[in-house]
Amino acid sequence: LDLDIDWSDVFKHAHAVSKTNPFWNELSASNPFVHDIAASNRNENNKYLSILKENPYLFSKVCSNRDSLASSGDELDIDCLLRKTSSRRSGRSKSVSDFLDIVDNRKFNPRKTPPQKTIASDMTWLQNDREAYKIAWLSHRQLTRSCLDLEAMSHSPGWAQTQATDIHVVCKLNHEGGSVQLPDSDINVHVPVGHVLPGEFQEVGLKAILNPPSSFNNELSSTVSPLIELTLSNLNTREAIFLEVKVAAKVKNDPLSQVMSDIVCFFSLSKEGPFKKLENCYTYQDTIQVKLTDLSHVMYAVIAVQANKIQPPATNVWDYVHRTVSVGIYGPKYIHPSFTAVFTVFGHNYIPGKLTICDIKKAGKSMPPVVFQLWGKHTFLLEKPQDLNISLVSCDPDFEVKTEDQSKNIKEEELKTGEMVRQQFLFSMLGCREMHFFVFLVQIKVLKSSQVMQFHVTTPDPAPKLSGIINRPRRLQKRKEIKSAPLLLIPTVKYPKFQDKTLSINTYGVALKTVLRQNKIDYLLEYFKGDTIALLGEDKVKAIGQTKIKEWYVGVLRKKIGLVHCKNIKVISKEQAMDTADSELTTRNLVEQIALPFKKLTYIYSVVLSTVSESIYDWRALAEVLGYSLMSLDDFNEAHADKESERVAHVVKRMKEDCHANKKKRLFLYELIVALLKIDCQGLVARLTQDTIILTSAVKLGKYWRELAEKLARLTKQQIEAYEVPHQGKNGAVALEMMWKPAYDFLYTWGAHYGDSYRDVLQDLQSALDKMKNPVTKHWRELTGTLILVNCMEVLRASAFSKMEEE
């Protein structure tokens, strides 16, 4: 799985791009790295030179250490970059963030590099410090835009390879208890009735770590399950819980085996141990049930076969049990003319559906970690650890296994360790034939005996062709089922009419004290004792004040929306309020104020564009609320006339162009959010809010994301390092300006666990950031602003849209 982009034509394509790119004339204003390209297009004798003159091949080559790929933002025409892109590797195969990076590519062959020149005079103070230049540039742009179309790239394999792929599950149980099962496994946790008090809840988390502790694999002991991580949120419990695991071994029925060996469970509060043997175990054939009484927030358990001693003719603990070996065949999501299949042996019977492979090599070079999919699996009985011979044979004449990969061996000592053992097999297509799925045979031979196991594996389909997407100027694609469906199946949506009128308020608060701040804090109200403050709902927001975390109401005073400390007001009803003139607000003012955070939030333009165009079903409604009420079908060319999504995208892009032309007064994302609120697209606004907050938080955190990861998800040092490994440079460390990338990967994965609970995502993130040693939320308040936004949506809908009209 690789991304082979030929950047050599980028500069040749510059003149063609300048004719079709409306932003080309203003290129240098937003991106100093390509100032000279734009300037040379206007004036061949231009004297203003950018940092590209220090390294003219910055965008023309791929960095040798494969840290990331260069992107110049909105201004590069991605069509010319993708036209020669191999479908074997998606832009999403690393992470979204890889394409927002700038490559530090100083070590190309100096013989091919022209003499260095200086940069523009206004940047002379940075000309000798490339790192400082990049940080200054990134700070200026705030990584707000990208020219990449992620929807087009999502058709290719490998998306999420830098995100955590350990299979885990979290369930919330109440007083009545229940059972939690790890997906695709025989690992269960049973929580009895009365485990927690009535009204309380228990969140149970289960996770399988594929490589068990090595200390349990020796002549007298062998692990038969993965290392199981069990997490609990509530330790105020009355009843114990039960762990039930189906293991990969069963003690033989002969008297000697029954006496000499047993299946036992080892337990620890730390991943590294020490482990203690649990006595409360019940075993039935290959299933063991363990009663856990010594509960903690994080616990670890592993099942092992243990022998008291080895009595001849036995040579190790394997001789006392019937031991099964599980194998899995993993490969990419789609097959390609050349791809790698991975044969994996597990020391237990848990075979995950996805597996991160870190040692893939191509052309002798190590590749970044890649997530492979499970293609097929097989389980067989192995009486004792022995050398195995593995061979893969294609059953289709159009494909073959690379000669040196056709047969490989797995050593007896590797099986004894209990860890995963992997062998790679490279497949390739013969000639230039039509790509198609095929079947291959997997054969396993035990070298010291005549035992042979074999099974067939069917590959997935080849990757969808991208040519149709890339050659069209608008690359937004519907899903297959919508693309092929009749037009009559597209839902007809009538968007409600926004009404600018005074908010209907039911609850007020009277200020009990005067609060005036010498250092003004965004989104926090100031008030005098006795002021009547309108409360936009009774929900409370948790956020940091001047010094500590408090609970706040969202209120309105003197036409300003903000937070008021719950302890500083007395809540009263509408009938009790005396003078409410200072707390009145119109729906138009409400929308404009709650959208203010989006003036400063970081976003990815292509993601916003595709999300909006797929979610809006009436381009006229959006055009009217954006101020393009005079737009008609005649304004669309043939490429936009067929699909509603294309028309919506055209409207959004026109607004983007207008904002870009007048960027001192107009901000694209802010105006778009205001428009979406005015057509009552609150679900879409919530989705965009969560996406932009996660990206902005990652950028703001930088290296401090490690502290946040420990607070939010209790990540270990090893897990944190796993997020950073794909983004490390040649020196083995993540550069400071790149640190937001593992932060984004972590926050994206963490936020996905909440599903549609976007309010919980924002509130939990706010609380975690507030509790850091040096909270970024003390000087960055936009997350607080978005909490105000989501808490005002109900009162906005109730006041701005007529129920009669909706009916």
Side-chain angles (χ1 to χ4, degrees), residues 31 77 120 138 278 371 394 417 443 460 472 491 523 548 554 602 634 669 684 699 761:
N31 191 339
D77 183 359
L138 289 174
L278 295 182
V371 173
S394 173
T417 64
Q443 197 169 64
R472 287 158 57 181
Y523 306 110
K548 61 182 180 180
V554 179
T602 299
D634 296 334
L669 189 59
L684 176 56
V699 174
V761 172

Side-chain angles (χ1 to χ4, degrees), residues 240-243 265 277-283 288-294:
I241 61 177
F242 296 87
L243 174 66
C265 177
K277 181 179 175 181
L278 295 182
E279 301 299 332
N280 299 324
C281 299
Y282 171 75
T283 305
I288 183 170
Q289 191 176 79
V290 186
K291 184 177 182 180
L292 302 177
T293 55
D294 184 15

Side-chain angles (χ1 to χ4, degrees), residues 587-640:
T587 52
R588 181 177 61 84
N589 286 336
L590 173 65
V591 168
E592 291 172 350
Q593 282 200 55
I594 61 179
L596 283 176
F598 291 91
K599 288 188 174 184
K600 298 181 180 179
L601 288 181
T602 299
Y603 67 97
I604 303 171
Y605 170 64
S606 58
V607 174
V608 173
L609 180 65
S610 59
T611 303
V612 172
S613 60
E614 290 175 359
S615 305
I616 301 294
Y617 297 102
D618 184 359
W619 70 269
R620 293 181 187 275
L622 183 62
E624 183 176 349
V625 79
L626 284 173
Y628 302 122
S629 55
L630 298 179
M631 186 180 287
S632 66
L633 287 175
D634 296 334
D635 297 320
F636 299 100
N637 56 33
E638 294 181 2
H640 304 129

